[in-house]
Amino acid sequence: MVVGFDGRGLGRILAALAAAFFFRAISGAGPALPLPGEEEEDDEGQQPAGDEEAPVSAEVLPVTIRWSGITCTLSDKRGRRPLLSLLYASGEALDDPLVWTRFLLSNVCGEAKPGRLLAIMGPSGSGKTTLLNVLAGQLMASPRLHLSGHLDINGLPMPSQGYKVAYLRQEDLFFSQLTVRETLLLAAELQLPQTWLAEKKDKYVSSLLFRLGLVNCADSIVGDAKVRGISGGEKKRLALACELIASLDAFQAEKVMETLRQLAEDGHTVICSIHQPRGSVYSKFDDIVLLSEGSLVYMGPAKDEPLTYFAKFGYQCPDHVNPAEFLADLISVDYSSAESVHSSQQRIDDLIEAFSKSSFMIQCTIPIMQLDDSKVSAKFGKKTMLKRRSGWWRQFRLLLKRAWMQASRDGPTNKVRARMSIASAIIFGSVFWRMGRTQTSIQDRMGLLQVAAINTAMAALTKTVGVFPKERAIVDRERAKDSYALGPYLLSKLLAEIPIGAAFPLMFGTILYPMARLHPTLTRFARFCGIVTMESFAASAMGLTVGAMVPSTEAAMAVGPSLMTVFIVFGGYYVNAENTPLVFRWIPRVSLIRWAFQGLCINEFSGLQFEQQHSYDIQTGEQALERLSFGGSRVRDTIVAQARILMFWYWTTYFLLKKNKPKYQQIVSPDSSHQQQV
């Protein structure tokens, strides 16, 4: 890319040193969890006999999850904490607007047993997803959020770390350019034990594909909004396979719910959330939880039991009506009229109050007995402990492979970038066609070099901020599962995008340079391409920082160009560096536009002679550089500055991603919560 600058390869050496320093600084082994079938050491440090030929499937340990008094609230924007205990102990609403709060969950209790499929049902906004996030230990933390209650796993409080669950979310996030098989293979490589041979992993993945009904689409790309890929149902089954790849070995059905049913029959504890299932789906549930506006309406066996329970209050399910539809209508507010809203709300409140006095609610507050089998309890505790897994280079190799496939296969994006690079070069080349050596050509050259720097930076920035926030959501989920460390991911992304990212500025320079008839030497042309390519990488790194800093793609698309506009203003063409106010003198030093423009100007004007008609005319390119305050500078200075800016943005991205790693809300005891508020 920058080999041969001034005959010394300075750009190459600096890039290598910077990359090596960055690699060493961020390297570190990522934590990982023990997996089923993975060899474990006993207390004496010896491995159990016979583990070398352990089957793919591991013994399913019984796990009973019980929760009680789960209350989740969202305080007002001024950050005031709600008085949970006082509010619900008295049953009276507080009229003071200063302590306004929204209850997402209110004193919710329940129990999930091994070998049984539990479904959480309720209308939209009833708190189904919130409850699932709480049970999975993955409710995003917020200073406005307050979570209290008790959550026990086999009679023991849920640990703050090491509680591993397979959590299938509502939205499906994948790398769009990978095929279904490649997605599963990479997940297997990152999560399955390193002691497994490649043939064993391939056989394992092939079994998953067959039993989940993904064989026909195994070699199809996942796709996204831009590129058509697999269907929504296939994505849901792929998400299930990715989440459970480290703990399952057999699936006996083709549909997700049938798969969950089989998991429960195999002894797993399965909890799912569903809005309004069909009758055939409802029949697969063993237990159900009915939620309405964050409160518990029913918890217990499914099938006919809830119908019998509600019949006691005069709500009879008509014949030939789907029980799930009947239950959904029963616990939903009817907004068709003011009278229906009042009557349906009163019905729901009465049902909530009735169930709060039931025998189940009383039993739910009694802690379950700890398992008598000490070996099972010890093994369960051992399974949930985090341990460090070596293999930084292995993680880097796998992530580099994935990043390269994602970047190289993104045909639509690459085609658009290529067309835009070619079109921009042709347009600029046509406007600045065959510039001569007249006095007016000095301004033309400066304008062309400035728009070349702006166009290159904006193209790279826009592409990155449009893609990275979506990718970050996937990476955050994978890091939450401790699949890999942040260092190998970021370094693999940097290296994988170098060939693709360098192609577009090279296309731009190859077409523009001869059309505008810039300094016609091969060395100057190589420097021109090297400078714009380096600038493209720096702008892409800046886009990563913006994407790591803001919460969404829309916000990134707003912040990125706005920040780049500031760098354009202080890019050396519109405001001379000597005339910049003291308070803004630091901006040109960090502006990638300014350093690219300076390098391009030095490369173009050095040694150039212009036609002189008057004594005050500019005769040499060095005089033009003096007027831009670029006199005495060298091309290597701009390369060093761009390398520093590049590494600064990558360092910033690394620390932002590390700092913004998903943090989950911790459950506090209602007693301690009440004491803090009082």
Side-chain angles (χ1 to χ4, degrees):
M1 176 181 65
V2 291
V3 178
F5 279 18
D6 296 330
R8 303 187 189 95
L10 178 62
R12 182 195 221 178
I13 297 174
L14 288 174
L17 290 176
F21 180 73
F22 178 72
F23 157 77
R24 180 174 179 81
I26 66 176
S27 61
L33 292 172
L35 304 168
E38 184 174 6
E39 298 177 355
E40 297 180 349
E41 294 183 358
D42 57 17
D43 295 337
E44 283 75 22
Q46 301 295 326
Q47 296 180 349
D51 278 0
E52 292 80 358
E53 300 298 331
V56 175
S57 176
E59 179 185 357
V60 179
L61 298 177
V63 176
T64 299
I65 305 175
R66 172 173 286 187
W67 58 96
S68 62
I70 299 296
T71 301
C72 182
T73 62
L74 191 65
S75 61
D76 64 359
K77 293 185 178 181
R78 286 163 288 186
R80 293 179 174 84
R81 294 275 185 176
L83 302 178
L84 303 179
S85 302
L86 297 178
L87 188 62
Y88 272 87
S90 62
E92 299 178 356
L94 297 179
D95 296 328
D96 187 359
L98 295 180
V99 292
W100 175 90
T101 184
R102 177 188 176 190
F103 283 81
L104 306 179
L105 294 174
S106 174
N107 196 29
V108 176
C109 301
E111 183 178 25
K113 301 178 181 179
R116 298 180 67 84
L117 175 57
L118 171 65
I120 303 175
M121 297 173 54
S124 299
S126 60
K128 301 187 298 296
T129 303
T130 302
L131 180 57
L132 273 181
N133 289 334
V134 172
L135 298 181
Q138 296 186 19
L139 182 65
M140 297 303 296
S142 170
R144 297 174 53 199
L145 204 64
H146 186 77
L147 179 63
S148 63
H150 297 284
L151 178 58
D152 296 336
I153 310 296
N154 283 355
L156 301 175
M158 184 187 73
S160 59
Q161 297 184 25
Y163 178 44
K164 185 176 179 64
V165 296
Y167 189 20
L168 182 62
R169 303 172 185 266
Q170 287 181 335
E171 64 275 11
D172 304 315
L173 298 175
F174 299 103
F175 285 88
S176 59
Q177 300 304 320
L178 272 65
T179 66
V180 172
R181 188 185 303 275
E182 290 169 346
T183 301
L184 281 177
L185 282 173
L186 285 170
E189 289 286 351
L190 289 170
Q191 298 184 45
L192 292 178
Q194 298 184 36
T195 55
W196 285 21
L197 298 177
E199 294 78 6
K200 186 176 182 181
K201 294 178 181 177
D202 291 340
K203 184 178 180 181
Y204 182 81
V205 170
S206 298
S207 176
L208 290 179
L209 291 171
F210 176 76
R211 298 183 182 276
L212 266 178
L214 296 173
V215 174
N216 293 334
C217 63
D219 297 317
S220 301
I221 63 172
V222 176
D224 55 13
K226 297 182 298 181
V227 181
R228 181 175 178 82
I230 60 178
S231 66
E234 290 168 338
K235 285 185 179 179
K236 188 62 66 178
R237 280 177 273 160
L238 176 59
L240 179 62
C242 289
E243 287 293 328
L244 304 180
I245 197 168
S247 57
L248 299 180
D249 68 315
F251 297 93
Q252 302 298 329
E254 296 182 354
K255 297 180 181 179
V256 173
M257 197 54 65
E258 293 175 351
T259 303
L260 297 179
R261 171 71 264 166
Q262 182 63 42
L263 291 175
E265 292 178 358
D266 290 342
H268 293 274
T269 304
V270 184
I271 307 175
C272 68
S273 170
I274 193 167
H275 179 69
Q276 189 169 326
R278 296 181 302 173
S280 59
V281 174
Y282 176 80
S283 63
K284 293 178 171 41
F285 301 149
D286 296 308
D287 302 302
I288 61 171
V289 172
L290 297 181
L291 293 177
S292 181
E293 299 179 344
S295 298
L296 189 61
V297 183
Y298 175 83
M299 165 66 202
K303 310 286 190 308
D304 296 330
E305 280 80 352
L307 304 181
T308 304
Y309 170 79
F310 289 114
K312 296 188 302 183
F313 302 99
Y315 304 107
Q316 191 74 34
C317 179
D319 295 336
H320 309 296
V321 173
N322 180 7
E325 295 181 1
F326 168 75
L327 296 175
D329 294 338
L330 186 64
I331 61 177
S332 300
V333 178
D334 185 0
Y335 291 99
S336 59
S337 65
E339 293 77 8
S340 62
V341 170
H342 177 74
S343 60
S344 59
Q345 186 66 63
Q346 184 63 45
R347 179 186 68 237
I348 294 172
D349 292 341
D350 293 341
L351 292 175
I352 293 174
E353 183 179 1
F355 192 76
S356 66
K357 299 177 181 179
S358 65
S359 59
F360 173 81
M361 293 292 288
I362 298 175
Q363 295 175 359
C364 192
T365 58
I366 302 175
I368 63 176
M369 296 300 295
Q370 186 174 346
L371 294 178
D372 295 333
D373 191 347
S374 59
K375 294 183 179 180
V376 173
S377 299
K379 189 173 184 181
F380 176 80
K382 189 174 183 179
K383 287 281 186 181
T384 61
M385 293 180 61
L386 286 168
K387 71 175 184 179
R388 305 290 292 185
R389 174 188 291 175
S390 60
W392 194 99
W393 281 107
R394 182 171 177 269
Q395 294 179 16
F396 170 73
R397 177 177 56 83
L398 294 172
L399 294 173
L400 180 62
K401 178 182 178 181
R402 183 178 71 177
W404 170 249
M405 289 189 294
Q406 178 70 15
S408 61
R409 293 179 181 176
D410 193 1
T413 301
N414 294 335
K415 289 178 182 178
V416 169
R417 292 187 67 187
R419 291 169 182 170
M420 291 302 298
S421 299
I422 295 173
S424 300
I426 293 176
I427 293 173
F428 295 156
S430 301
V431 173
F432 298 95
W433 175 260
R434 296 287 183 177
M435 292 183 295
R437 302 295 178 89
T438 62
Q439 292 296 306
T440 56
S441 70
I442 298 176
Q443 180 183 356
D444 294 345
R445 276 178 164 78
M446 293 180 180
L448 173 60
L449 298 178
Q450 178 71 0
V451 297
I454 295 174
N455 178 77
T456 301
M458 290 298 294
L461 175 71
T462 304
K463 183 266 178 183
T464 305
V465 298
V467 173
F468 183 65
K470 300 176 183 178
E471 181 177 324
R472 190 191 67 182
I474 306 176
V475 174
D476 285 344
R477 288 189 179 183
E478 293 175 336
R479 291 176 60 212
K481 296 187 296 183
D482 293 317
S483 296
Y484 49 78
L486 180 58
Y489 161 73
L490 202 56
L491 185 61
S492 65
K493 183 173 181 62
L494 167 64
L495 296 181
E497 293 185 352
I498 286 179
I500 304 297
F504 306 110
L506 290 177
M507 290 181 190
F508 177 79
T510 302
I511 297 174
L512 175 65
Y513 204 89
M515 289 184 66
R517 198 163 65 180
L518 295 173
H519 208 133
T521 63
L522 185 59
T523 303
R524 301 295 179 106
F525 169 71
R527 289 175 179 173
F528 179 93
C529 293
I531 292 171
V532 294
T533 302
M534 194 72 173
E535 181 196 19
S536 176
F537 291 151
S540 180
M542 175 181 164
L544 292 178
T545 301
V546 174
M549 182 173 52
V550 299
S552 64
T553 302
E554 292 75 14
M557 294 296 290
V559 173
S562 300
L563 184 59
M564 187 65 73
T565 301
V566 177
F567 291 157
I568 292 174
V569 172
F570 294 93
Y573 182 76
Y574 301 105
V575 179
N576 193 288
E578 295 182 355
N579 299 329
T580 304
L582 291 176
V583 69
F584 298 126
R585 287 285 175 90
W586 62 274
I587 299 181
R589 299 174 184 173
V590 299
S591 172
L592 55 91
I593 300 290
R594 180 253 180 166
W595 287 110
F597 177 61
Q598 177 176 324
L600 293 175
C601 286
I602 296 173
N603 181 65
E604 174 64 22
F605 285 100
S606 298
L608 208 60
Q609 297 291 327
F610 294 99
E611 299 174 2
Q612 187 177 21
Q613 297 178 349
H614 305 89
S615 58
Y616 52 80
D617 288 342
I618 296 177
Q619 184 176 2
T620 64
E622 284 72 14
Q623 294 175 343
L625 293 175
E626 288 291 343
R627 295 197 176 187
L628 291 172
S629 299
F630 293 161
S633 300
R634 299 170 298 177
V635 172
R636 69 174 67 181
D637 297 332
T638 66
I639 297 298
V640 172
Q642 286 180 318
R644 290 174 178 172
I645 293 175
L646 172 68
M647 298 311 302
F648 168 78
W649 288 122
Y650 265 102
W651 270 109
T652 306
T653 302
Y654 173 78
F655 285 113
L656 284 175
L657 291 176
K658 188 174 183 179
K659 179 181 178 182
N660 296 333
K661 183 178 180 179
K663 299 178 181 178
Y664 301 119
Q665 196 79 19
Q666 298 295 320
I667 300 180
V668 299
S669 172
D671 298 333
S672 62
S673 174
H674 175 66
Q675 293 175 0
Q676 292 177 1
Q677 292 165 5
V678 174

